[in-house]
Amino acid sequence: MNQSRKTMTRYLIVEDERLAYEEIKRMMHKLRPAYEFAGWAESVEQAVCLLQGKNFDLLIIDIRLSDGVSFEIFEQCPVEIPVIFTTAYDEYALDAFRVNSIDYLLKPIGERELDMALGKFERRCCLRSATPEYRKLETDYLSAGKKNRFLVQTGDTFRPVETTDVAFFYSEDKYTYLHLFSGCRYIIGYPLDRLERMVDAAQFFRVSRNCIANIRSIRKISKYFAGRLLLQFQPECPHEIIVSRSRVDEFLRWADDAR
């Protein structure tokens, strides 16, 4: 870190286990003695109070807290402060990347892992999460655990289909459908929220509330009123798919980079 910076980096630790908090604080003092420890919160409620009352440059946050998950903090107190998430679980990876995340560290955390995360923070301090390096980190992490095939049922027969053969997933009347490039569709037992975590983020995108699309299925992207986008698929989707204005930039970056 460039010690000539005019302002000291102030960080907040959000951790409900005292021993874990003390270990993170110890490592921070060792790895970045020039940083200023500016607070500790043990719960969502305490974190929200601190964030509303003080200024921080970096947040180091455990995902599971005694009174909920840390994403509730950002729902109550939207911030653009870079975040290093810590957790004993990997199920929240996608949610973490939707926040202004620098890294996602699995416990037990070592000094090397924390030091590397701090290095990322220092290299990309104040950069938006849509940078190419960030999207590559997100893609690499999520793709490592992607689902390669689904088991579908026709009558009394089950057969596997490759995820790469799926044109899109969509929901309708409380059911979720898997639609293949061949035109066949099947009911599957996964909600879209879970499917979004299971498929390769470099290939699939949640284009609307009720649809996750394979980049290869999108044949035309048209500007739509109110700053939205209208998508046309091949094979054709049973519903009109419109990308909301708030997701247009993210969608276009994904469509440009998707493989």
Side-chain angles (χ1 to χ4, degrees), residues 117-130:
L118 292 170
K120 293 177 184 177
F121 162 68
E122 291 159 354
R123 289 191 299 271
R124 298 182 292 164
C125 184
C126 299
L127 290 180
R128 298 183 63 182
S129 62

Side-chain angles (χ1 to χ4, degrees), residues 146 163-164 166 200-205 213-216 254 258-259:
K146 67 182 179 181
T163 305
T164 53
V166 178
D200 186 347
Q203 188 176 11
F204 289 89
F205 188 88
N214 187 326
I215 183 62
R216 294 192 295 117
W254 168 80
R259 56 176 181 260

Side-chain angles (χ1 to χ4, degrees), residues 129-155:
S129 62
T131 61
E133 297 100 323
Y134 179 90
R135 295 203 304 276
K136 185 177 187 302
L137 169 65
E138 177 182 12
T139 297
D140 290 348
Y141 186 96
L142 297 177
S143 296
K146 67 182 179 181
K147 188 171 178 62
N148 295 315
R149 64 186 58 84
F150 290 86
L151 196 65
V152 299
Q153 180 179 2
T154 304

